[in-house]
Amino acid sequence: MGDIRGIDLNLLIVLDALLDERSVTRAAARLGYTQPTISGMLARLRDLFADPLFVRTQRGILPTPRAEALALPLKQFLAEGRRLVTPDVFDPATAELTFAISTNDYMQHAVLVPFIEVLRREAAKIRLAIKPLIIAGLVDALARGDADLAVTIPEFAMSNLPSRLLYRERYVAAVRPEHPLAKSRTISLETFCSYDHVVVSPTGGSFEGPTDEALARIEGDAPCATPFRAFCSSRSCCRSTI
């Protein structure tokens, strides 16, 4: 019996039921088998273990010393087998985990702060490690476990990564209170592009970003032809007129 490849595990389940019930009839009812089926499986068990395993009495069947010795390790074996094939049940209230999330400062404020408030109520033992936004090498970073989740914009997401749209947002322009456009209720694209701008680049070193791509789609040509007044490298992306 050293080679377990040919063992029918259903036989071990039947043996466990027989040890508990001490009756072929009750074991059959418990497992949903007929009594002849259980009797046939018991015969196979006797061949498997080279032992009678049970002897008949007026009150049912009694296990042999060999069967008694098998009872505890058999229970442990079957319990481990059930745990092996049973999906883990995630309980937020008791889970003790740390998730690393890559995102920029704006997403931290807009998405993660409200999320953390819910987390404190429903999953107090889960911790979040917030990391700077990863753009280049995001797939590799996730594969290495440097981050478990990335909250970013579609332009920076990889098409081969599973993702979910969280929300949609519109663009706004920010100006100083004394700016000529401060009192304008609407601004044309031509007027917007006629002013100098500051761009905050998420990649550091590029004078274009998602805003330029959005403007290009609207204009159908190059976005703002006016040179930028200043350039900043940051982990977030925004644009403002000077």
Side-chain angles (χ1 to χ4, degrees):
M1 206 184 74
D3 188 353
I4 66 171
R5 290 178 295 178
I7 297 177
D8 182 354
L9 293 181
N10 288 316
L11 294 178
L12 301 182
I13 295 173
V14 168
L15 177 58
D16 179 62
L18 289 170
L19 285 166
D20 286 345
E21 302 294 342
R22 307 295 173 94
S23 164
V24 172
T25 302
R26 289 195 296 270
R30 168 173 156 179
L31 298 176
Y33 290 135
T34 63
Q35 185 172 337
T37 298
I38 293 295
S39 297
M41 297 178 83
L42 177 55
R44 294 170 60 191
L45 281 165
R46 286 167 170 160
D47 290 339
L48 180 64
F49 289 100
D51 187 269
L53 295 177
F54 297 93
V55 293
R56 294 189 179 277
T57 69
Q58 292 182 346
R59 296 185 177 181
I61 55 175
L62 290 180
T64 65
R66 172 68 167 142
E68 290 278 13
L70 289 170
L72 181 58
L74 178 61
K75 286 260 184 223
Q76 294 172 340
F77 176 81
L78 292 176
E80 290 295 329
R82 291 187 184 99
R83 279 193 289 270
L84 183 65
V85 299
T86 301
D88 292 334
V89 177
F90 177 72
D91 183 5
T94 59
E96 297 185 35
L97 300 168
T98 298
F99 291 104
I101 299 181
S102 165
T103 189
N104 62 24
D105 52 357
Y106 171 70
M107 295 291 186
Q108 291 175 30
H109 174 75
V111 177
L112 295 189
V113 170
F115 176 61
I116 290 173
E117 292 178 357
V118 177
L119 210 59
R120 286 174 175 171
R121 296 194 305 267
E122 300 184 9
K125 296 182 180 181
I126 292 181
R127 301 185 302 175
L128 297 185
I130 310 301
K131 296 192 172 187
L133 182 64
I134 301 171
I135 298 176
L138 178 58
V139 175
D140 292 337
L142 291 170
R144 291 193 305 268
D146 294 342
D148 300 302
L149 178 71
V151 182
T152 184
I153 60 176
E155 287 81 356
F156 297 152
M158 308 299 175
S159 59
N160 59 336
L161 291 175
S163 62
R164 176 175 295 181
L165 180 65
L166 297 179
Y167 65 96
R168 296 185 184 276
E169 195 168 49
R170 62 189 179 90
Y171 281 96
V172 298
V175 300
R176 68 183 186 275
E178 299 81 12
H179 194 281
L181 296 177
K183 295 182 180 180
S184 301
R185 298 182 65 87
T186 59
I187 304 171
S188 68
L189 180 60
E190 182 180 0
T191 300
F192 178 81
C193 290
S194 68
Y195 284 88
D196 292 337
H197 297 76
V198 172
V199 60
V200 180
S201 171
T203 55
S206 171
F207 285 90
E208 293 184 0
T211 305
D212 298 281
E213 296 173 7
L215 291 173
R217 288 194 295 269
I218 296 173
E219 192 177 31
D221 199 349
C224 293
T226 305
F228 297 123
R229 176 71 61 87
F231 169 77
C232 302
S233 175
S234 174
R235 290 295 182 179
S236 62
C237 181
C238 66
R239 178 188 288 266
S240 61
T241 62
I242 299 175

